[in-house]
Amino acid sequence: MCWVNCAATTYSMDGKEGFSVNYTGGSNDNKMQVKLAANEEIFFEYSNSQTKNNAVKTGENYMQCDSKNFVINIPVKTGDVIYIKYSAKGGTAAALDVYGSEPAITADAEAVKTCSGKTEGESVIFKATATKGGTAKIKETSGGMRVYAISINQEPTGIQNVKVADAKSANGAIYNLAGQKVNESYKGIVIKNGKKYIQK
């Protein structure tokens, strides 16, 4: 979901048309912010001196940030553990690290800060723990990235196969991407019976 200094569009990637966002700010003072439909408290922020088409786009089971210097903003409470499952977007390795002069989180000793692979099978987990409540900021500083999952206090699973479908037709509980149980009125990407769906 586009929020500030951006325009929603579509883009064909891996042979499938998906959601895409163009950065329209064109100034380091104008930051693009893109919210996740599954959890609108988490958003991706980007600024640059030039506009950029398809700065963010979606594949079948990931979101791709097509440039470095994207900052992932995640609200946290003291002790929360953040997991980000990610890979590179192409030939340049992706690199994640804690960002900001007074960070609310510290990268764990086992946090994987770089990834050269560009498929989900080659993805890695960046892990950080909140040292205080606030907004955790994690920055990609290399060449862009593919994000497969962001979760708090629950290690992300390898769930695949994002489908546009009516989740009401399946049996079982419904969860958002943070692993929280939601009902049928929830809008966004949901997990039901081990598969992802877009619930409208």
Side-chain angles (χ1 to χ4, degrees):
M1 175 182 180
C2 184
W3 189 26
V4 176
N5 293 323
C6 52
T9 183
T10 58
Y11 186 87
S12 183
M13 189 160 56
D14 299 336
K16 297 186 180 183
E17 189 170 276
F19 181 77
S20 179
V21 179
N22 296 335
Y23 169 54
T24 60
S27 165
N28 283 327
D29 296 329
N30 296 329
K31 294 181 179 179
M32 176 178 85
Q33 294 180 346
V34 179
K35 291 183 175 182
L36 297 182
N39 184 342
E40 291 198 356
E41 293 183 341
I42 296 174
F43 64 92
F44 286 68
E45 191 172 67
Y46 173 73
S47 64
N48 199 293
S49 59
Q50 298 179 338
T51 59
K52 183 171 179 59
N53 288 337
N54 304 306
V56 174
K57 51 196 175 190
T58 57
E60 186 176 15
N61 62 331
Y62 59 86
M63 185 180 96
Q64 180 168 302
C65 298
D66 252 14
S67 184
K68 66 179 182 178
N69 296 327
F70 270 89
V71 178
I72 308 170
N73 293 263
I74 307 170
V76 292
K77 301 183 294 291
T78 302
D80 280 349
V81 180
I82 295 171
Y83 299 90
I84 300 175
K85 181 178 179 182
Y86 77 102
S87 71
K89 77 171 184 74
T92 303
L96 286 185
D97 208 347
V98 174
Y99 178 68
S101 58
E102 295 182 15
I105 55 171
T106 300
D108 289 14
E110 66 269 29
V112 181
K113 296 184 178 182
T114 60
C115 181
S116 298
K118 61 180 181 178
T119 68
E120 185 173 16
E122 299 168 305
S123 65
V124 297
I125 302 289
F126 177 85
K127 181 181 174 188
T129 301
T131 55
K132 60 183 178 180
T135 301
K137 294 180 178 285
I138 300 166
K139 188 173 187 179
E140 202 285 324
T141 58
S142 187
M145 63 184 165
R146 291 181 172 182
V147 178
Y148 299 92
I150 298 173
S151 61
I152 300 173
N153 299 326
Q154 180 178 345
E155 191 159 355
T157 64
I159 297 170
Q160 299 186 24
N161 303 323
V162 175
K163 296 181 180 178
V164 177
D166 181 1
K168 295 176 185 175
S169 63
N171 297 321
I174 304 170
Y175 299 89
N176 64 20
L177 291 182
Q180 301 161 324
K181 194 171 184 179
V182 296
N183 60 31
E184 293 182 352
S185 65
Y186 182 88
K187 296 189 179 358
I189 298 175
V190 297
I191 301 167
K192 190 167 185 176
N193 292 337
K195 294 186 179 179
K196 286 184 185 174
Y197 299 91
I198 297 176
Q199 189 163 272
K200 298 178 180 179

